[in-house]
Amino acid sequence: MTYKVTEEGNISTVHLDGEIDMDVTEKAKEVIMPLIEAKKEVHLNLKEVQYMDSSGISVLIESHQKAMELGTKVTLKEISKSVLKVIMMAKLEQILNLD
Amino acid sequence: MEQSHIANVDEKRDFEVNSSNLKHVRSFCREVFERLNINQELKDELVLAIAEAAQNIVKHAYNNEQTEDKMEIKISVSDGHLEIGFFDKGRPVEKDKIRHRKIDDIKPGGLGTFFIQQIMDAVVFKEGEKPWINHLILSKNLNN
């Protein structure tokens, strides 16, 4: 997994790329969580994520819940077909913010 | 009996038990499934189910601790019936404790087993024959 972060005003966009599994979840959290803790609105761009498993889904849930707790928001952007399928399999499409 | 249009397969491979090998598990599955006349969506689902089961071995049978142990994954297809065997030498599986979290209980974790059950027709835990401790079998009829 690789990533790039771009900033625009109070919105930080994290562009994730590659496959997100248990091996890279800590790295993903290390990128995403400090932005949420800084009360940024976070956009996760998932266009280039070709594979995500339950560990990756856990990162999305954790990020969403942490943002709600701190009064900010995480939005999933340009979700790839394969990631959307896993989100729907987990029945999270009504819970997470999908755009 | 009608003959299946899906090729017969019998492949197995060993992987060191650690999270950095999960990508190699997926590559192995993709290689094998490439030979099967099934749609891409189903191939992706099967790769996910296998990777989740392998992840459970790393996480639960070995507590994500460093080990030199290997797990073996065996993929067989015969007359359109897919069977995937997982063999490991980790902590014995406590079958009664295996359950996925309630799907409406939104919290991180506990989804892997749910995905496996959604994708596969059957999930069976067996005691492994020596030298193995655990033997998990996932199966699915690919003719449907």
Side-chain angles (χ1 to χ4, degrees):
Chain A
M1 182 201 78
T2 58
Y3 68 91
K4 186 178 81 183
V5 182
T6 57
E7 306 275 351
E8 200 180 326
N10 195 43
I11 298 174
S12 297
T13 302
V14 183
H15 299 259
L16 296 168
D17 193 328
E19 302 201 330
I20 301 181
D21 66 6
M22 179 189 175
D23 197 38
V24 300
T25 48
E26 280 311 308
K27 185 176 165 189
K29 280 199 269 187
E30 278 169 22
V31 178
I32 299 164
M33 290 303 180
L35 299 170
I36 296 170
E37 279 155 12
K39 302 207 176 170
K40 296 266 191 180
E41 182 177 334
V42 176
H43 292 178
L44 296 179
N45 188 304
L46 303 174
K47 188 180 168 189
E48 301 298 337
V49 177
Q50 297 95 18
Y51 172 89
M52 183 179 280
D53 66 8
S54 61
S55 302
I57 294 291
S58 292
V59 175
L60 300 184
I61 295 173
E62 226 173 296
S63 307
H64 173 76
Q65 290 180 334
K66 187 78 184 171
M68 296 238 298
E69 191 188 308
L70 295 176
T72 181
K73 192 177 174 188
V74 172
T75 306
L76 310 183
K77 297 270 187 185
E78 296 190 82
I79 308 165
S80 67
K81 200 175 150 196
S82 57
V83 174
L84 183 61
K85 186 163 179 198
V86 182
I87 288 172
M88 293 181 79
M89 207 186 284
K91 303 189 193 316
L92 290 170
E93 68 273 22
Q94 305 291 331
I95 307 291
L96 303 174
N97 300 311
L98 274 53
D99 186 13
Chain B
M1 194 172 75
E2 202 178 311
Q3 209 166 8
S4 173
H5 62 290
I6 299 166
N8 286 349
V9 161
D10 201 9
E11 294 282 347
K12 65 178 178 184
R13 200 166 293 176
D14 289 346
F15 300 90
E16 273 179 27
V17 180
N18 62 57
S19 63
S20 62
N21 266 326
L22 295 173
K23 55 181 172 292
H24 301 304
V25 170
R26 296 196 294 275
S27 298
F28 166 60
C29 300
R30 286 172 185 143
E31 267 171 44
V32 174
F33 294 143
E34 209 42 59
R35 287 150 45 190
L36 301 181
N37 183 22
I38 55 174
N39 66 51
Q40 189 58 47
E41 199 175 339
L42 179 55
K43 286 178 190 172
D44 292 343
E45 286 182 3
L46 294 171
V47 170
L48 178 65
I50 295 172
E52 293 289 356
Q55 183 186 155
N56 281 345
I57 292 173
V58 176
K59 254 189 193 170
H60 303 300
Y62 285 87
N63 255 337
N64 207 13
E65 285 162 2
Q66 258 203 321
T67 175
E68 288 180 1
D69 280 3
K70 292 186 173 177
M71 63 173 134
E72 182 179 291
I73 300 178
K74 184 176 177 201
I75 303 177
S76 320
V77 180
S78 175
D79 293 326
H81 181 80
L82 168 68
E83 188 170 296
I84 307 147
F86 299 79
F87 303 84
D88 71 74
K89 299 176 191 167
R91 217 169 40 170
V93 169
E94 293 177 72
K95 292 174 208 164
D96 301 343
K97 290 191 178 167
I98 299 166
R99 60 178 68 90
H100 62 76
R101 69 161 165 78
K102 286 182 184 155
I103 199 64
D104 51 0
D105 178 15
I106 309 300
K107 62 178 184 192
L111 271 173
T113 306
F114 176 74
F115 288 162
I116 294 169
Q117 288 173 343
Q118 290 269 96
I119 295 164
M120 306 306 295
D121 294 339
V123 179
V124 177
F125 287 95
K126 290 172 76 176
E127 220 168 274
E129 281 179 28
K130 278 186 178 174
W132 306 109
I133 302 289
N134 297 309
H135 180 192
L136 165 68
I137 304 167
L138 307 183
S139 57
K140 189 173 181 78
N141 183 357
L142 302 178
N143 293 311
N144 293 338

